[in-house]
């Protein structure tokens, strides 16, 4: 009888010990899986942030030059309006009013270009005070004139609201029927020439 009690106690103790060990192992595994998921989420967030930083300008929120280079690799043969844009006198603003004021003008110029351009437009901040717009011609019934007028109207509205920090933009546009890389780069150079002609 004592033998049976001892066997029963050993069996019960072993079962309890096994159950507790299993619960502890499951708890440990659960904690490990939770930490792993947390690390994976963190890595995903970092990867997403790095991807954003590689393609977008933090100040203006527009796509950057790197995104433009990537666009060159995949651009099709759509008919495009190529518009070069630059802020007039930004260096003077930076020198006399400080870079914070210059940054405000860059952000306002970016907002004006976003508001004036169709949703299908690709807008890039190429660096400093230089912007580039690539707009499918099918989105513009009035071509370059229509878009330039919209941009300049918004600049005028801005200057009425913010007379303390007026904005002036120079624009140069070229319409092209072939969006191949070589032609696009030539069109950008031509749009730059037109833009600087208007600036002088």
């Amino acid at each position: 009888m004592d033998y049976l009690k001892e066997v029963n106690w050993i069996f019960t103790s072993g079962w309890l010990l096994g159950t507790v060990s299993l619960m502890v192992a499951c708890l440990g595994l659960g904690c490990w899986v939770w930490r792993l998921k947390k690390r994976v989420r963190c890595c995903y967030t970092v990867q997403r942030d790095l991807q954003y930083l590689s393609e977008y300008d933090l100040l203006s929120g527009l796509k950057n030059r790197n995104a433009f280079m990537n666009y060159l690799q995949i651009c099709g043969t759509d008919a495009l309006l190529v518009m070069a844009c630059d802020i007039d006198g930004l260096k003077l603003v930076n020198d006399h009013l400080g870079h914070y004021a210059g940054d405000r003008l860059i952000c306002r110029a970016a907002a004006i270009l976003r508001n004036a351009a169709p949703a299908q437009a690709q807008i890039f901040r190429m660096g400093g005070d230089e912007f580039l717009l690539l707009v499918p011609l099918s989105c513009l019934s009035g071509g370059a004139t229509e878009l330039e007028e919209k941009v300049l109207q918004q600049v005028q509205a801005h200057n009425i609201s913010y007379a303390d920090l007026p904005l002036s933009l120079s624009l140069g546009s070229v319409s092209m029927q072939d969006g191949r890389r070589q032609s696009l780069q030539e069109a950008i150079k031509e749009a730059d020439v037109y833009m600087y002609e208007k600036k002088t």
Side-chain angles (χ1 to χ4, degrees), residues 21-173:
S21 298
L22 183 60
M23 288 173 65
V24 169
C26 288
L27 186 60
L29 181 62
C31 289
W32 179 82
V33 168
W34 179 79
R35 284 197 303 268
L36 181 62
K37 284 174 70 176
K38 190 175 177 182
R39 286 181 182 173
V40 168
R41 276 197 303 268
C42 182
C43 289
Y44 174 75
T45 301
V46 169
Q47 181 184 11
R48 187 188 60 205
D49 291 347
L50 288 174
Q51 180 69 29
Y52 181 86
L53 290 172
S54 73
E55 295 182 354
Y56 286 87
D57 171 53
L58 285 180
L59 178 62
S60 66
L62 298 177
K63 291 180 180 177
N64 60 22
R65 182 181 286 272
N66 188 50
F68 170 71
M69 298 307 291
N70 291 337
Y71 176 83
L72 280 182
Q73 303 301 319
I74 61 168
C75 63
T77 56
D78 295 336
L80 290 175
L81 172 71
V82 178
M83 177 182 284
C85 172
D86 145 325
I87 301 173
D88 299 326
L90 184 65
K91 186 179 185 311
L92 289 173
V93 172
N94 286 333
D95 290 345
H96 292 93
L97 301 176
H99 286 273
Y100 175 71
D103 288 350
R104 283 170 59 199
L105 283 183
I106 289 170
C107 292
R108 289 175 183 173
I112 285 171
L113 294 175
R114 264 196 304 264
N115 291 336
Q120 299 86 343
Q122 297 285 330
I123 310 174
F124 304 92
R125 181 183 175 205
M126 300 299 281
D129 60 352
E130 299 173 5
F131 301 89
L132 178 69
L133 287 80
L134 305 176
V135 187
L137 285 174
S138 58
C139 302
L140 298 169
S141 57
T145 306
E146 173 191 346
L147 183 55
E148 287 188 13
E149 284 177 358
K150 281 185 179 178
V151 171
L152 295 176
Q153 283 171 2
Q154 292 207 21
V155 169
Q156 284 180 338
H158 165 272
N159 290 340
I160 292 170
S161 301
Y162 300 96
D164 60 319
L165 191 60
L167 175 66
S168 175
L169 297 178
S170 292
L171 307 170
S173 304

